């Protein structure tokens, strides 16, 4: 087997797949403005995603994450999960979702082979949640979290992006959930995009809250944070636990604590482009040649080429921001 290894000796074994660019929420920092949605024909069909994953699995891809847009906006997602689960070599399928409709899909997804979910939730206050998501209802997300737990999607992780003056007052509320409800909360540093919600002056790039600041606030108010190593799907986050907590607190400091040297992932956009780095605009179109009859060998070659153009690290520190797509068009 030829493995996917980039020019910096990083082995790529994780593919994040955006299954649609449609999202039912309009999070203030994620969506700058609505560009026209992809047409039905532009979006990869399930059979095409399956073929790409099969080729990837032959090159060492073992883990998949379904994302969007909002992945649950794609009808019958459990069918795709089942197709991917049957591919030799794929041993972990997860999903990142806003959970607005997860309550009605969790059981079917788990039965089809989905292993775990990350749920995006930026506020525990119903009004603020509605403001931050443009339209969301907090209670439906909380129902989604419960349904995921009941369906055995394990672990359920909560992803929270903090913005100063907007939801940073909730740091302790989220941390408390790791004690009272066993939540696994991960604070993800806001990553600036050239075209993101800051364009509409709802917030500015400097409203980001660093991991160090969050850690200080939690430790100062709730006691020591002990480093822990979770068992499954821990990726780039650093995890800690408060005394008496069954849940964990993770930190993903993409900006202030760059983890590019450990990057093991590549992304597939809903319109069939391989994107080696979230924060770099370079992509390789595989949908067009695939629809023109490309062989599996040629497909694997394009996947290798995508690994070859992966940069050593992102350049946010030098103010080089991704500009060709907004976050909702990539999937995080
Ligand atoms: N709709 C799904 C969801 O909400 O989880 C999947 C797509 S969404 C783009 C994936 C994640 O990206 C969400 O957790 C969201 O908070 C995060 N996100 C969006 N823009 C971001 C940014 N600029 N910096 C950090 N995280 C961001």
């Amino acid at each position: 087997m030829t493995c996917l290894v980039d020019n910096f000796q990083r082995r790529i074994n994780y593919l994040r797949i955006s299954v649609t660019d449609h999202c039912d929420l309009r999070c203030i920092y994620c969506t700058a403005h609505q560009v026209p949605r992809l047409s039905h024909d532009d979006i990869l069909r399930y059979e095409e995603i399956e073929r790409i994953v099969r080729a990837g699995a032959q090159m060492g891809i073992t883990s998949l994450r379904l994302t969007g847009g909002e992945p649950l906006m794609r009808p019958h997602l459990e069918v795709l999960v089942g197709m991917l689960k049957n591919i030799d070599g794929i041993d972990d399928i997860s999903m990142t979702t806003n959970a607005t409709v997860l309550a009605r899909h969790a059981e079917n997804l788990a039965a089809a082979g989905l292993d775990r979910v990350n749920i995006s939730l930026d506020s525990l206050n119903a009004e603020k949640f509605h403001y931050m998501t443009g339209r969301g209802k907090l209670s439906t997300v909380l129902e989604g979290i419960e349904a995921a737990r009941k369906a055995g999607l394990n672990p359920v992780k909560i992803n929270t992006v903090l913005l100063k003056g907007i939801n940073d007052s909730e740091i302790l509320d989220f941390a408390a959930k790791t004690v009272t409800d066993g939540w696994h909360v991960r604070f993800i540093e806001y990553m600036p995009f050239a075209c993101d919600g800051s364009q509409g002056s709802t917030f500015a790039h400097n409203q980001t809250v660093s991991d160090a600041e969050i850690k200080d606030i939690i430790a100062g108010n709730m006691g020591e944070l002990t480093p822990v190593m979770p068992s499954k799907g821990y990726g780039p986050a650093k995890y800690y636990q408060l005394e008496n907590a069954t849940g964990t607190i993770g930190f993903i400091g993409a900006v202030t604590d760059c983890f590019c040297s450990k990057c093991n992932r590549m992304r597939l956009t809903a319109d069939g482009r391989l994107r080696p780095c979230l924060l770099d605009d370079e992509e390789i179109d595989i949908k067009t040649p695939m629809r023109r009859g490309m062989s599996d060998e040629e497909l694997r070659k394009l996947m290798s080429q995508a690994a070859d153009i992966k940069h050593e690290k992102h350049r946010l520190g030098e103010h080089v921001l991704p500009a060709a797509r907004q976050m909702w068009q990539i999937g995080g």
Side-chain angles (χ1 to χ4, degrees), residues 23 29-30 67-71 96-98 118-120 122 159 161 188-193 196 327-328 331-332:
C23 186
Y29 53 87
C30 186
T67 178
E70 169 47 44
T96 298
T97 174
N98 61 29
N118 290 3
I119 295 178
S120 307
D122 295 331
N159 286 349
V161 175
I188 302 181
E189 266 177 12
Y190 163 73
M191 291 168 257
F193 272 55
D196 62 19
M327 185 67 106
W328 59 270

